[in-house]
Amino acid sequence: MIRFAAGPDGRVTPDLAGRLPGRGLWVAADRASVESAARRGLFSRAARTALKADPELADQVEHLLLRRLLDGLGLARRAGEVVFGFEKVQSALSGGRVAWLVEAADGAPEGRRKILAAARKAALEPGLAALWTGEELSLALGGENVIHTAFLAGRGADRWTVDVQRLSGFRPLVPASWTEMTPSASGAGTPA
């Protein structure tokens, strides 16, 4: 579910963190539900007051979730919950400590194939997300040429998983061309 709140200007505002004041308006975390609620005036009906919902509200939610997830990776990196680099990720996979593999969408297929093969051998198969380019991951994580990233299992990964699951209602977690290579693109092997 995604919480929305009424802004001071009478506009519907996504509240992903659940911290905005006022009574929350909850909608299922998928594109069709948000678009339908905006188009049919369901926010106004639920709030019992006139509210304006932007026709691109679902796109806004998708963008905000992508930004929130990327920021979450950066915070997790500083907390020691994220490792990156081929060898470090492969080591974490062999140790069975990885909740999520985060691969650069523009990474080389050969390196991706090797990492995914190691992931299939892990005791608990991690989820897979390829939502950002190597440049975006590098900026968020403070590294150079970040292609392979592992979010280690723990409370941080559990919180991150909630937002990844919400985002999956708005867009695929991996490019369509990867489906034959990815055993767990939905994050099925990750803790809920």
Side-chain angles (χ1 to χ4, degrees), residues 77-110:
R77 161 75 164 92
R78 289 186 284 288
E81 298 174 322
V82 168
V83 296
F84 57 88
F86 187 84
E87 288 83 16
K88 289 180 183 177
V89 170
Q90 208 165 28
S91 175
L93 283 167
S94 64
R97 303 176 303 150
V98 178
W100 282 93
L101 276 177
V102 181
E103 290 287 306
D106 57 352
E110 184 60 23

Short mmCIF file of all heavy atoms in Angstrom, two decimals, residues 77-110:
data_model
loop_
_atom_site.label_atom_id
_atom_site.label_comp_id
_atom_site.label_asym_id
_atom_site.label_seq_id
_atom_site.Cartn_x
_atom_site.Cartn_y
_atom_site.Cartn_z
N ARG A 77 25.11 1.64 2.52
CA ARG A 77 26.54 1.56 2.26
C ARG A 77 27.32 2.16 3.42
O ARG A 77 28.28 1.59 3.91
CB ARG A 77 26.87 2.27 0.94
CG ARG A 77 28.32 2.67 0.74
CD ARG A 77 29.19 1.47 0.40
NE ARG A 77 30.44 1.87 -0.14
CZ ARG A 77 31.55 2.08 0.57
NH1 ARG A 77 31.55 1.94 1.87
NH2 ARG A 77 32.67 2.43 -0.02
N ARG A 78 26.86 3.32 3.88
CA ARG A 78 27.53 3.98 5.00
C ARG A 78 27.35 3.19 6.30
O ARG A 78 28.17 3.28 7.20
CB ARG A 78 27.03 5.41 5.15
CG ARG A 78 27.54 6.30 4.01
CD ARG A 78 27.20 7.75 4.17
NE ARG A 78 25.83 8.12 3.87
CZ ARG A 78 25.28 8.17 2.66
NH1 ARG A 78 26.00 7.83 1.61
NH2 ARG A 78 24.04 8.55 2.49
N ALA A 79 26.29 2.38 6.40
CA ALA A 79 26.06 1.56 7.59
C ALA A 79 26.75 0.21 7.49
O ALA A 79 26.64 -0.61 8.41
CB ALA A 79 24.56 1.37 7.79
N GLY A 80 27.43 -0.05 6.37
CA GLY A 80 28.13 -1.32 6.20
C GLY A 80 27.25 -2.47 5.79
O GLY A 80 27.63 -3.64 5.91
N GLU A 81 26.05 -2.17 5.27
CA GLU A 81 25.11 -3.21 4.86
C GLU A 81 25.15 -3.51 3.37
O GLU A 81 24.41 -4.36 2.89
CB GLU A 81 23.69 -2.80 5.26
CG GLU A 81 23.51 -2.63 6.76
CD GLU A 81 22.14 -2.09 7.12
OE1 GLU A 81 21.63 -1.21 6.38
OE2 GLU A 81 21.60 -2.53 8.13
N VAL A 82 25.98 -2.78 2.64
CA VAL A 82 26.08 -2.94 1.19
C VAL A 82 27.55 -3.10 0.82
O VAL A 82 28.40 -2.37 1.35
CB VAL A 82 25.48 -1.72 0.45
CG1 VAL A 82 25.85 -1.72 -1.02
CG2 VAL A 82 23.98 -1.69 0.61
N VAL A 83 27.83 -4.05 -0.05
CA VAL A 83 29.17 -4.18 -0.62
C VAL A 83 29.04 -4.12 -2.13
O VAL A 83 27.99 -4.45 -2.69
CB VAL A 83 29.87 -5.50 -0.19
CG1 VAL A 83 30.10 -5.53 1.30
CG2 VAL A 83 29.09 -6.72 -0.64
N PHE A 84 30.11 -3.66 -2.79
CA PHE A 84 30.08 -3.63 -4.25
C PHE A 84 31.44 -4.01 -4.79
O PHE A 84 32.44 -3.98 -4.08
CB PHE A 84 29.61 -2.27 -4.78
CG PHE A 84 30.41 -1.09 -4.33
CD1 PHE A 84 31.53 -0.69 -5.03
CD2 PHE A 84 30.03 -0.35 -3.22
CE1 PHE A 84 32.27 0.41 -4.63
CE2 PHE A 84 30.75 0.75 -2.80
CZ PHE A 84 31.88 1.13 -3.52
N GLY A 85 31.43 -4.41 -6.04
CA GLY A 85 32.62 -4.93 -6.68
C GLY A 85 32.45 -6.43 -6.89
O GLY A 85 31.87 -7.12 -6.03
N PHE A 86 32.93 -6.93 -8.00
CA PHE A 86 32.71 -8.33 -8.37
C PHE A 86 33.15 -9.30 -7.27
O PHE A 86 32.38 -10.17 -6.86
CB PHE A 86 33.43 -8.63 -9.69
CG PHE A 86 33.12 -9.98 -10.24
CD1 PHE A 86 31.99 -10.18 -11.01
CD2 PHE A 86 33.95 -11.07 -9.97
CE1 PHE A 86 31.69 -11.44 -11.51
CE2 PHE A 86 33.65 -12.32 -10.47
CZ PHE A 86 32.52 -12.50 -11.25
N GLU A 87 34.38 -9.18 -6.79
CA GLU A 87 34.91 -10.14 -5.82
C GLU A 87 34.17 -10.06 -4.49
O GLU A 87 33.87 -11.08 -3.87
CB GLU A 87 36.42 -9.92 -5.59
CG GLU A 87 37.29 -10.36 -6.76
CD GLU A 87 37.37 -9.28 -7.85
OE1 GLU A 87 37.01 -8.11 -7.57
OE2 GLU A 87 37.77 -9.62 -8.97
N LYS A 88 33.89 -8.85 -4.01
CA LYS A 88 33.19 -8.70 -2.73
C LYS A 88 31.78 -9.26 -2.81
O LYS A 88 31.31 -9.91 -1.87
CB LYS A 88 33.15 -7.23 -2.32
CG LYS A 88 34.50 -6.69 -1.89
CD LYS A 88 34.39 -5.23 -1.50
CE LYS A 88 35.76 -4.68 -1.14
NZ LYS A 88 35.69 -3.25 -0.81
N VAL A 89 31.10 -9.02 -3.91
CA VAL A 89 29.74 -9.54 -4.08
C VAL A 89 29.77 -11.06 -4.17
O VAL A 89 28.97 -11.75 -3.53
CB VAL A 89 29.05 -8.92 -5.31
CG1 VAL A 89 27.75 -9.61 -5.62
CG2 VAL A 89 28.83 -7.42 -5.08
N GLN A 90 30.71 -11.59 -4.92
CA GLN A 90 30.81 -13.04 -5.04
C GLN A 90 31.12 -13.68 -3.69
O GLN A 90 30.56 -14.72 -3.34
CB GLN A 90 31.89 -13.41 -6.07
CG GLN A 90 31.63 -14.73 -6.73
CD GLN A 90 32.48 -14.89 -7.98
OE1 GLN A 90 33.56 -14.33 -8.10
NE2 GLN A 90 31.97 -15.68 -8.92
N SER A 91 31.97 -13.06 -2.89
CA SER A 91 32.28 -13.56 -1.56
C SER A 91 31.05 -13.53 -0.65
O SER A 91 30.79 -14.48 0.10
CB SER A 91 33.42 -12.73 -0.95
OG SER A 91 33.65 -13.12 0.37
N ALA A 92 30.31 -12.44 -0.71
CA ALA A 92 29.09 -12.34 0.11
C ALA A 92 28.06 -13.38 -0.31
O ALA A 92 27.38 -13.97 0.54
CB ALA A 92 28.50 -10.94 0.00
N LEU A 93 27.98 -13.65 -1.61
CA LEU A 93 27.06 -14.68 -2.09
C LEU A 93 27.45 -16.06 -1.58
O LEU A 93 26.61 -16.83 -1.13
CB LEU A 93 27.02 -14.68 -3.63
CG LEU A 93 26.20 -13.58 -4.29
CD1 LEU A 93 26.50 -13.51 -5.78
CD2 LEU A 93 24.72 -13.80 -4.03
N SER A 94 28.74 -16.36 -1.64
CA SER A 94 29.18 -17.68 -1.18
C SER A 94 29.01 -17.83 0.33
O SER A 94 28.85 -18.93 0.84
CB SER A 94 30.63 -17.94 -1.59
OG SER A 94 31.50 -17.02 -0.96
N GLY A 95 29.00 -16.72 1.06
CA GLY A 95 28.77 -16.75 2.50
C GLY A 95 27.29 -16.79 2.85
O GLY A 95 26.94 -16.88 4.03
N GLY A 96 26.40 -16.69 1.86
CA GLY A 96 24.97 -16.76 2.10
C GLY A 96 24.41 -15.55 2.83
O GLY A 96 23.41 -15.66 3.53
N ARG A 97 25.05 -14.39 2.65
CA ARG A 97 24.63 -13.20 3.39
C ARG A 97 23.89 -12.18 2.55
O ARG A 97 23.58 -11.10 3.04
CB ARG A 97 25.87 -12.52 3.99
CG ARG A 97 26.69 -13.41 4.89
CD ARG A 97 27.94 -12.71 5.36
NE ARG A 97 28.74 -12.26 4.22
CZ ARG A 97 29.53 -11.19 4.23
NH1 ARG A 97 29.64 -10.45 5.29
NH2 ARG A 97 30.23 -10.87 3.16
N VAL A 98 23.57 -12.47 1.32
CA VAL A 98 23.01 -11.47 0.41
C VAL A 98 21.49 -11.58 0.33
O VAL A 98 20.95 -12.64 0.03
CB VAL A 98 23.62 -11.61 -1.01
CG1 VAL A 98 23.01 -10.60 -1.97
CG2 VAL A 98 25.13 -11.46 -0.95
N ALA A 99 20.81 -10.47 0.59
CA ALA A 99 19.35 -10.41 0.44
C ALA A 99 18.98 -9.94 -0.97
O ALA A 99 18.03 -10.44 -1.56
CB ALA A 99 18.74 -9.46 1.47
N TRP A 100 19.75 -8.98 -1.50
CA TRP A 100 19.46 -8.41 -2.83
C TRP A 100 20.74 -8.23 -3.62
O TRP A 100 21.72 -7.72 -3.09
CB TRP A 100 18.79 -7.03 -2.70
CG TRP A 100 17.35 -7.12 -2.37
CD1 TRP A 100 16.79 -7.08 -1.13
CD2 TRP A 100 16.28 -7.28 -3.29
NE1 TRP A 100 15.44 -7.20 -1.23
CE2 TRP A 100 15.09 -7.33 -2.54
CE3 TRP A 100 16.20 -7.40 -4.68
CZ2 TRP A 100 13.83 -7.48 -3.12
CZ3 TRP A 100 14.96 -7.54 -5.26
CH2 TRP A 100 13.80 -7.58 -4.50
N LEU A 101 20.69 -8.64 -4.87
CA LEU A 101 21.73 -8.27 -5.84
C LEU A 101 21.20 -7.05 -6.58
O LEU A 101 20.08 -7.05 -7.06
CB LEU A 101 21.94 -9.39 -6.86
CG LEU A 101 22.86 -10.52 -6.49
CD1 LEU A 101 22.86 -11.55 -7.61
CD2 LEU A 101 24.25 -10.02 -6.22
N VAL A 102 22.01 -6.03 -6.63
CA VAL A 102 21.65 -4.83 -7.38
C VAL A 102 22.68 -4.70 -8.49
O VAL A 102 23.85 -4.42 -8.24
CB VAL A 102 21.65 -3.58 -6.47
CG1 VAL A 102 21.26 -2.35 -7.27
CG2 VAL A 102 20.73 -3.79 -5.28
N GLU A 103 22.23 -4.95 -9.69
CA GLU A 103 23.10 -4.94 -10.86
C GLU A 103 22.85 -3.68 -11.67
O GLU A 103 21.70 -3.24 -11.81
CB GLU A 103 22.82 -6.16 -11.75
CG GLU A 103 23.27 -7.47 -11.15
CD GLU A 103 24.78 -7.61 -11.18
OE1 GLU A 103 25.38 -7.47 -12.26
OE2 GLU A 103 25.35 -7.84 -10.12
N ALA A 104 23.90 -3.12 -12.22
CA ALA A 104 23.75 -1.97 -13.12
C ALA A 104 23.04 -2.45 -14.39
O ALA A 104 23.41 -3.47 -14.97
CB ALA A 104 25.11 -1.37 -13.46
N ALA A 105 22.02 -1.73 -14.79
CA ALA A 105 21.25 -2.11 -15.97
C ALA A 105 22.10 -2.11 -17.23
O ALA A 105 21.81 -2.83 -18.18
CB ALA A 105 20.05 -1.18 -16.13
N ASP A 106 23.18 -1.32 -17.22
CA ASP A 106 24.03 -1.23 -18.40
C ASP A 106 25.34 -2.00 -18.24
O ASP A 106 26.29 -1.78 -18.98
CB ASP A 106 24.31 0.24 -18.75
CG ASP A 106 24.95 1.01 -17.59
OD1 ASP A 106 25.04 0.44 -16.48
OD2 ASP A 106 25.34 2.16 -17.80
N GLY A 107 25.39 -2.92 -17.29
CA GLY A 107 26.59 -3.72 -17.06
C GLY A 107 26.79 -4.76 -18.16
O GLY A 107 25.87 -5.10 -18.91
N ALA A 108 28.01 -5.28 -18.24
CA ALA A 108 28.34 -6.28 -19.26
C ALA A 108 27.63 -7.60 -18.97
O ALA A 108 27.60 -8.06 -17.83
CB ALA A 108 29.84 -6.50 -19.30
N PRO A 109 27.09 -8.24 -20.00
CA PRO A 109 26.36 -9.51 -19.81
C PRO A 109 27.23 -10.62 -19.22
O PRO A 109 26.74 -11.43 -18.43
CB PRO A 109 25.89 -9.88 -21.21
CG PRO A 109 25.93 -8.62 -21.99
CD PRO A 109 26.99 -7.77 -21.38
N GLU A 110 28.50 -10.67 -19.55
CA GLU A 110 29.36 -11.75 -19.06
C GLU A 110 29.54 -11.69 -17.55
O GLU A 110 29.43 -12.70 -16.85
CB GLU A 110 30.72 -11.71 -19.77
CG GLU A 110 31.63 -12.85 -19.40
CD GLU A 110 31.07 -14.23 -19.74
OE1 GLU A 110 30.20 -14.34 -20.62
OE2 GLU A 110 31.50 -15.20 -19.09
#
